[in-house]
Amino acid sequence: MTAFPRFADLAFPTPTEAGLAAAARAILAHIAAGEVEAALAEWDRQRRDYESWASLVHLHFSQDTASAEAKAAREYADALAPIATEHEVAVKRALLALPDRVALERLAGRHAVLLWETDITTFDPAIKAELEEEAKLGARYTELLASAKLEIGGQVVNLSGLAPFAEDPDRELRYRAEALRWGFFAEHGAALDEIYDQLVALRHGMAVKLGYRDYIPLGYRRMRRTDYKPADVARYREEVLRHVTPLVGRLLEQRRQRLGWDRLRFWDEALIDPAGNPQPIGGHDELVAAAQAMFDRMDPRLAAFYRNMEAGGFLDMKNRPGKAGGGFCTSFPSVGTPFIFANFNGTHHDIGVFTHEMGHAFQNWESRGLPGIDYLWPTMESAEIHSMSLEFLTLPQIGLLVGEAAAERFRRMHLEASLAFLPYGVCVDHFQHEVYANPGALPAERQEMWRRLEKRYMPWTDYGDLAWPEKGGRWQAKPHIYRSPFYYIDYTLALCCALQFWVKSRQDQRAALADYVALCGRGGSAPFQALVASAGLISPFQPGALEAVVREAEAVLAG
């Protein structure tokens, strides 16, 4: 589909257990009769309709977590999800059982078939109840964090609304913001531990039922990772420790000296620019308008896409009470359009989250014509290349969003922040590997795990008298750990690729953008490392990939 609908007009039929069962029976009948092409076409349409409905339900809940109607719809969707998965897996098993594998790959795509082989190892009807409970626990976590009402600077804000205060040039105000944040987590720490205890136990139990020793291999398969394993990730974490951690430590020490602090505290890390982190030129409306001018300068496809997104109402980026925190991009594959969700708070993070989610959305739009729903999105480490690369590719035009006087400062800040993210990202990943390798660990033992790993990857971290993170509770603020296990190393792998796009753009901006748009158009038609190679990039798992981009970044920052 090429035309954008209006978001306000979107409505998708609510599926039922009986309807899903009838649809699955019809598809299986086609397969049994040898009508594979017809089966694939009908199955793809049914999956698109279901995913569009589920995306809209979960988006409405994120937009207003206090709405009883939205919550009830989300609970219905969460209960139906394992049933839909059971039917989907039955169809995949029937397709994979066909004798002519070559013909199936010709009709469906070789990579899609490989993905299905992975998917069928992640589900059995025996774990339907656990999957529903997992979704409920994830929603409890989201609701709990969205309930925060914190008073600071004469305002009442949620956790997202603390960001402007947490990077204010006033050191005392930064401290108060972090004290409020971690006071909230300390107050709700027992509830958060209880939710995570149940999630870990559920996931471990599902893994055992499916024949795995622990959740780690199941977690990788649920992420549809087909071309690398935990051992590859472990080696990559060591590369970050070797090449990035020392550089970030040096950058932070230089910042401490420039600003005259006796010690670098945790509440100082967010203030990257001595003059104060560059801020957007205005509020939500000004930023939305300026972004159009930015994309107009960059690429006609980006520009037209963004214009349609804004005109169609497919952006929700204002922060408001009751709205879930963070930012994400979802999509409605029946109509071919994505949606961007964010929480603007008046800081440079507004620009980061907007360009990031815009990268996801543009990729989804560019790949909308690929055959089969399995190719509309790539696996997550590949998807994050599109989002993180667009953050870098917009930098030459960033003066439109922050003002030309602050543009170079913003570019430097973004590069420093990107480098500093890598050690944190691998720490989150390493923590999850330890958690699921030791599913019986007590909350206090998990806190010790985090603090030990944090000191390894981020030895500069000094929480002062912020008691909750000092005892190892910082991880509880990371939704991915609760809701999307093992979905975090993806950001760091993608960042290694995005930095390569940044290096290419410094040499030839137009060529880098062309390669980027072409990569977006490939969607999820290949596994991670094949997509990376198709864009002329080096896999992060290859020796030297990270070292080369870090060396370039260090040279730029020294200038």
Side-chain angles (χ1 to χ4, degrees):
M1 179 169 183
T2 56
F4 265 74
R6 285 178 48 79
F7 175 69
D9 296 335
L10 290 189
F12 304 104
T14 300
T16 64
E17 284 192 47
L20 290 174
R25 283 196 300 271
I27 294 163
L28 290 169
H30 276 306
I31 297 171
E35 301 162 349
V36 179
E37 190 168 3
L40 288 170
E42 177 59 24
W43 184 44
D44 190 64
R45 183 199 61 75
Q46 191 268 337
R47 290 171 75 194
R48 287 172 188 263
D49 288 347
Y50 176 83
E51 289 298 329
S52 297
W53 166 79
S55 293
L56 190 60
V57 166
H58 285 93
L59 174 61
H60 282 159
F61 173 70
S62 296
Q63 290 177 311
D64 185 3
T65 62
S67 165
E69 181 181 1
K71 183 176 181 180
R74 191 219 75 229
E75 289 175 346
Y76 176 78
D78 289 346
L80 198 61
I83 296 167
T85 300
E86 182 176 8
H87 292 308
E88 187 175 300
V89 167
V91 172
K92 289 173 181 174
R93 289 187 188 280
L95 289 166
L96 292 169
L98 291 170
D100 193 341
R101 172 67 174 255
V102 173
L104 178 63
E105 290 183 354
R106 186 172 61 251
L107 289 170
R110 185 173 186 277
H111 184 52
V113 174
L114 180 61
L115 290 172
W116 300 344
E117 286 181 330
T118 302
D119 295 340
I120 65 172
T121 66
T122 68
F123 179 82
D124 185 276
I127 66 169
K128 281 197 296 187
E130 286 96 329
L131 288 170
E132 182 178 351
E133 183 62 21
E134 182 185 32
K136 288 180 179 178
L137 288 166
R140 271 181 57 195
Y141 172 83
T142 298
E143 290 178 64
L144 179 55
L145 265 61
S147 71
K149 294 180 176 61
L150 309 167
E151 294 186 27
I152 186 170
Q155 303 176 43
V156 176
V157 300
N158 57 18
L159 289 169
S160 296
L162 279 177
F165 304 98
E167 59 180 60
D168 194 275
D170 183 336
R171 197 181 194 196
E172 180 57 30
L173 187 57
R174 295 198 304 275
Y175 169 76
R176 290 208 303 275
E178 293 300 342
L180 278 172
R181 182 191 315 278
W182 298 110
F184 173 85
F185 280 95
E187 178 184 355
H188 298 285
L192 290 166
D193 278 331
E194 180 186 358
I195 292 170
Y196 198 58
D197 271 344
Q198 293 179 53
L199 283 169
V200 172
L202 269 175
R203 289 166 181 155
H204 180 73
M206 286 191 286
V208 171
K209 280 187 178 182
L210 293 175
Y212 300 102
R213 184 185 65 182
D214 57 41
Y215 180 75
I216 295 171
L218 176 58
Y220 271 58
R221 287 175 173 267
R222 288 176 79 179
M223 294 295 294
R224 307 180 104 186
R225 294 172 178 167
T226 61
D227 62 340
Y228 63 93
K229 300 182 183 303
D232 300 305
V233 171
R235 285 193 300 273
Y236 173 75
R237 292 196 304 256
E238 288 300 309
E239 289 291 297
V240 173
L241 181 64
R242 181 178 303 114
H243 298 296
V244 185
T245 291
L247 172 57
V248 174
R250 291 194 297 272
L251 292 172
L252 288 169
E253 174 57 19
Q254 290 168 13
R255 195 184 312 166
R256 184 196 69 77
Q257 293 178 9
R258 281 199 309 269
L259 292 166
W261 298 324
D262 57 337
R263 299 177 66 175
L264 180 90
R265 300 288 195 178
F266 176 71
W267 51 90
D268 296 322
E269 292 181 30
L271 182 66
I272 299 173
D273 192 303
N277 294 345
Q279 297 181 344
I281 54 170
H284 172 276
D285 295 349
E286 292 85 357
L287 201 56
V288 167
Q292 185 65 67
M294 178 178 72
F295 292 126
D296 284 343
R297 288 187 187 179
M298 289 178 64
D299 181 86
R301 289 155 296 190
L302 271 168
F305 169 69
Y306 177 69
R307 187 172 287 107
N308 285 328
M309 287 281 283
E310 202 275 326
F314 287 85
L315 308 173
D316 179 1
M317 303 186 292
K318 289 182 177 178
N319 186 15
R320 58 182 178 271
K323 186 178 179 181
F328 60 82
C329 176
T330 190
S331 70
F332 312 106
S334 291
V335 294
T337 51
F339 188 100
I340 293 176
F341 175 98
N343 283 273
F344 281 6
N345 52 38
T347 72
H348 69 92
H349 296 292
D350 296 350
I351 296 170
V353 74
F354 166 66
T355 54
H356 184 100
E357 301 307 336
M358 179 67 177
H360 284 310
F362 181 67
Q363 174 268 302
N364 184 255
W365 176 251
E366 285 293 295
S367 59
R368 70 195 182 281
L370 291 175
I373 191 173
D374 288 287
Y375 288 176
L376 298 187
W377 291 109
T379 48
M380 296 317 304
E381 70 292 276
S382 301
E384 298 303 345
I385 299 174
H386 311 115
S387 55
M388 296 184 129
S389 294
L390 192 61
E391 293 180 46
F392 282 98
L393 292 171
T394 54
L395 289 180
Q397 308 297 336
I398 208 68
L400 289 167
L401 305 188
V402 298
E404 291 301 334
E408 189 54 40
R409 289 170 47 218
F410 183 95
R411 287 188 276 266
R412 182 183 180 92
M413 177 189 66
H414 184 270
L415 184 54
E416 285 201 37
S418 297
L419 293 168
F421 171 75
L422 286 167
Y424 172 72
V426 298
C427 185
V428 168
D429 179 73
H430 198 157
F431 172 70
Q432 293 184 87
H433 278 84
E434 290 210 4
V435 164
Y436 290 106
N438 300 279
L442 299 173
E445 292 172 320
R446 289 196 200 105
Q447 289 178 334
E448 191 280 327
M449 284 179 198
W450 174 266
R451 199 67 181 102
R452 170 172 47 80
L453 293 170
E454 191 174 48
K455 288 177 178 176
R456 172 179 171 80
Y457 292 105
M458 299 173 284
W460 52 79
T461 307
D462 182 346
Y463 291 110
D465 63 357
L466 298 175
W468 194 251
E470 174 59 31
K471 69 186 289 188
R474 179 179 173 181
W475 61 271
Q476 291 184 325
K478 183 47 61 185
H480 301 70
I481 293 177
Y482 282 79
R483 303 203 54 146
S484 305
F486 292 112
Y487 178 11
Y488 215 70
I489 197 67
D490 311 72
Y491 292 109
T492 75
L493 296 171
L495 182 51
C496 180
C497 298
L499 283 163
Q500 292 180 61
F501 264 123
W502 167 71
V503 173
K504 292 173 75 168
S505 72
R506 285 167 53 78
Q507 299 161 355
D508 188 334
Q509 171 75 7
R510 188 174 298 277
L513 198 52
D515 288 344
Y516 170 77
V517 172
L519 179 64
C520 288
R522 295 184 192 104
S525 59
F528 170 59
Q529 295 190 75
L531 286 171
V532 169
S534 77
L537 307 176
I538 302 172
S539 167
F541 299 122
Q542 290 187 23
L546 190 58
E547 183 181 7
V549 293
V550 167
R551 190 164 54 244
E552 176 83 7
E554 187 168 21
V556 169
L557 292 171

